[in-house]
């Protein structure tokens, strides 16, 4: 099976070819976020440098895997990484980013997230079990990332990691566009389309997005319905996010 057909072995992962527009030519859509690991392996292949991960999420998915040294190296192949993601990563879907660093798929990470799950790393660096250092740059929103890119203040590292990247993976968790209800913290409130647009495309963010998309080799999109109000609510949210993400940011037709 040639490289263009490898994704057909990845159950539950839909590969989309993005025509025209700007940025990546491939997108991978799935439900549990830990399936990003085989999707990134499929997108990057077994050769070439690790990619910078730019991930948009509600949660800071920087929990160390339970057995980091057991994460297969990317040279072990797509099947090994796919099996590891499904059977060994946390079902809470919080440890796939550091697992990808252990696998040699991801170098540094620019993480746009607002909530810190129990056990998530808040350090500025992660040294994997192979001894490789990784920068962890965390900002809460796109407008803060865009500001840090355009006019870096002392300590800002957004421009630093983007300029150092040879390849970029853009990763989006659908629950990034939700909030928990103040009246009932167990209730998830999906954002309307105008708020999604305001978050993704704030004023003066174009130079930031050009830096991300100019070297972006793939988009991964996790639907996470249990974090987005259920199947029906997440389906409606996906439609709204797709209109902004694909049509307005990537300038291509939504799936």
């Amino acid at each position: 099976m040639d490289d263009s057909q490898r994704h057909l072995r990845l159950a539950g992962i839909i590969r989309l070819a993005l025509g025209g527009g700007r940025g990546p030519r491939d997108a991978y859509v799935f439900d549990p976020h830990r399936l990003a690991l085989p999707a990134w392996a499929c997108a990057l292949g077994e050769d070439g440098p690790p990619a910078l991960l730019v991930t948009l999420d509600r949660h800071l998915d920087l929990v160390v895997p339970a057995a980091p040294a057991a994460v297969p190296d990317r040279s072990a192949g797509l099947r090994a990484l796919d099996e590891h993601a499904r059977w060994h990563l946390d079902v809470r879907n919080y440890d796939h980013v550091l697992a990808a660093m252990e696998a040699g798929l991801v170098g540094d990470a620019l993480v746009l997230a607002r909530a810190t799950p129990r056990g998530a790393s808040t350090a500025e660096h992660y040294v994997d079990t192979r001894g490789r250092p990784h920068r962890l740059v965390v900002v809460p929103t796109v407008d803060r990332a865009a500001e840090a890119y355009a006019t870096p203040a002392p300590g800002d590292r957004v421009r630093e990691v983007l300029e150092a990247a040879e390849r970029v993976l853009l990763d989006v968790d659908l629950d990034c566009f939700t909030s928990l209800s103040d009246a009932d913290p167990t209730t998830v409130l999906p954002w309307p389309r105008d708020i999604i647009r305001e978050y993704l495309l704030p004023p003066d963010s174009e130079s930031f997005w050009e830096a991300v998309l100019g070297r972006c080799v793939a988009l991964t999109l996790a639907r996470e319905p249990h974090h987005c109000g259920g199947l029906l609510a997440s389906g409606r949210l996906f439609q709204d996010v797709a209109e902004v993400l694909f049509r307005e940011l990537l300038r291509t037709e939504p799936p």
Side-chain angles (χ1 to χ4, degrees):
M1 181 175 294
D2 62 41
D3 288 349
S4 66
Q5 301 295 308
R6 295 192 306 161
H7 70 283
L8 297 177
R9 294 291 184 180
L10 300 177
I13 299 178
I14 302 168
R15 183 182 182 183
L16 305 172
L18 305 179
R22 61 175 182 169
R25 291 293 173 261
D26 290 303
Y28 298 82
V29 181
F30 39 83
D31 282 349
H33 209 161
R34 64 187 180 277
L35 292 185
L37 186 68
W40 294 335
C42 189
L44 294 174
E46 297 175 13
D47 300 316
L52 168 69
L53 176 66
V54 179
T55 178
L56 283 67
D57 204 324
R58 193 174 82 209
H59 308 96
L60 195 67
D61 289 343
L62 297 178
V63 174
V64 178
V71 178
D73 186 78
R74 64 191 291 191
S75 62
L78 181 60
R79 182 173 180 174
L81 288 163
D82 184 49
E83 180 176 340
H84 189 84
R86 295 175 192 273
W87 292 97
H88 300 285
L89 292 187
D90 198 319
V91 294
R92 297 180 305 161
N93 297 293
Y94 292 157
D95 57 355
H96 51 279
V97 173
L98 300 188
M101 292 178 174
E102 293 286 346
L105 294 166
V106 168
D108 299 327
L110 173 55
V111 182
L112 283 68
R114 311 184 300 277
T116 305
R118 180 179 300 174
S121 173
T122 56
E124 294 185 352
H125 295 86
Y126 175 70
V127 179
D128 65 36
T129 56
R130 281 83 167 175
R132 298 169 299 205
H134 306 267
R135 288 173 289 189
L136 305 177
V137 182
V138 179
V139 289
T141 56
V142 173
D143 62 340
R144 292 285 297 276
E147 180 183 9
Y149 177 80
T151 55
D156 284 343
R157 296 178 296 155
V158 173
R159 178 184 285 272
E160 180 182 319
V161 294
L162 278 169
E163 290 185 342
E166 295 184 41
R167 299 190 290 179
V168 173
L169 292 164
L170 176 59
D171 174 67
V172 178
D173 190 331
L174 198 62
D175 74 5
C176 179
F177 309 103
T178 65
S179 299
L180 298 179
S181 169
D182 291 336
D184 179 8
T186 64
T187 299
V188 176
L189 303 175
W191 295 355
R193 190 178 301 180
D194 58 339
I195 301 300
I196 295 168
R197 181 180 297 109
E198 183 179 318
Y199 178 90
L200 271 180
L201 301 170
D204 303 319
S205 62
E206 182 61 21
S207 62
F208 166 75
W209 281 121
E210 285 181 353
V212 172
L213 298 176
R215 300 172 187 174
C216 187
V217 297
L219 164 70
T220 49
L221 179 53
R223 292 182 293 201
E224 294 281 14
H226 58 293
H227 284 164
C228 298
L231 288 172
L232 294 179
S234 66
R236 291 188 292 268
L237 179 61
F238 180 84
Q239 289 183 310
D240 285 333
V241 169
E243 283 292 321
V244 180
L245 178 63
F246 288 91
R247 197 183 300 279
E248 299 185 37
L249 177 61
L250 301 183
R251 300 172 187 168
T252 188
E253 288 301 306

